[in-house]
Structure formats: structure tokens, C-alpha cells
Amino acid sequence: QVRLVESGGGPVEAGGSLRLSCQASGDTYDGLCMGWSRQAPGEEREGVAAIASDGTTTYRDSVKGRFTISQDNAKRSLYLQMDSLKPEDTATYYCAADFPPPGLCTNLELVGVDYWGLGTMVTVSS
């Protein structure tokens, strides 16, 4: 079992920044793929960014150049630095852990994700 707890969400004005954090505990290991997804009201959940155990990152096109995913393996923590935020980034953001085969790290595929956090809400006002 893996437990994921997100933090760092909140209200922000367009153009602003937020840094999301995800603390993992339980049966994690260095080969795990970790990532972030989001779900806006009335919309389907979508993959945002992922990072593989070798540090390879994958981003959704709409966030490239604005969001940066990183991790601290020693702390078992995952981060999402979000800059130049737009109103369309408003959503609940979820931390995800994907055991091999890591579809999340390959193409932000969410179907095979093994564990989810409860989410943290981000609201971007115009």
C-alpha cells in the first residue's frame, strides 16, 4: 500500500505561482513512476506531469514551459511548481503513483495508476 497526501493548493491570481507537494508513505520504492493529474469541475481527470525513477519528465502540452515536476527521493516527496497560472488551470490536483509498467510516465496515461491522493484544490482567478 502507498499513501499519498497532497498540499499547497489554494487561490491565486492569473499569472501567479503555486507549489504543490505530495508526501508518499508506505510501500514506495525507487523505481516508482510519480505524477500529477487534475480534474476541473464537470471535466474528466487528465494527466499533467510525471517523473520516472531516472528523472525523465513528461508534461501535458498546455503546461509545458509553465509547470515543473520534481522529486526528492530521500524525503519521498513529489513537487509541482506551477508558474504563469491561467484560469483554465483551475482544478483539483491529484498526486499519483504508478508501478511498472508506468503508463503514467510513458504518455500520462491514467488508467493504470495504482494509487491516488485525495487532491488539493487550485483556483486561479482572472
Side-chain angles (χ1 to χ4, degrees), residues 96-115:
D98 194 7
F99 284 82
L104 181 64
C105 282
T106 301
N107 56 6
L108 296 178
E109 175 60 54
L110 303 183
V111 172
V113 167
D114 296 283
Y115 296 97

Side-chain angles (χ1 to χ4, degrees), residues 71-92:
Q71 63 184 353
D72 185 330
N73 289 329
K75 296 181 179 179
R76 296 205 287 182
S77 295
L78 180 73
Y79 307 100
L80 186 68
Q81 177 66 41
M82 305 187 295
D83 299 317
S84 302
L85 282 161
K86 303 176 181 180
E88 51 264 42
D89 295 318
T90 294
T92 299

Side-chain angles (χ1 to χ4, degrees), residues 18-70:
L18 280 176
R19 188 189 192 216
L20 304 184
S21 298
C22 172
Q23 181 65 54
S25 60
D27 297 331
T28 62
Y29 76 110
D30 290 343
L32 204 57
C33 165
M34 300 291 295
W36 293 93
S37 69
R38 67 186 180 188
Q39 187 166 18
E43 301 291 332
E44 291 188 357
R45 193 174 296 193
E46 61 185 22
V48 174
I51 184 166
S53 56
D54 65 358
T56 301
T57 56
T58 304
Y59 294 95
R60 185 174 196 82
D61 285 347
S62 61
V63 307
K64 286 180 180 177
R66 300 189 297 122
F67 290 12
T68 304
I69 189 171
S70 62

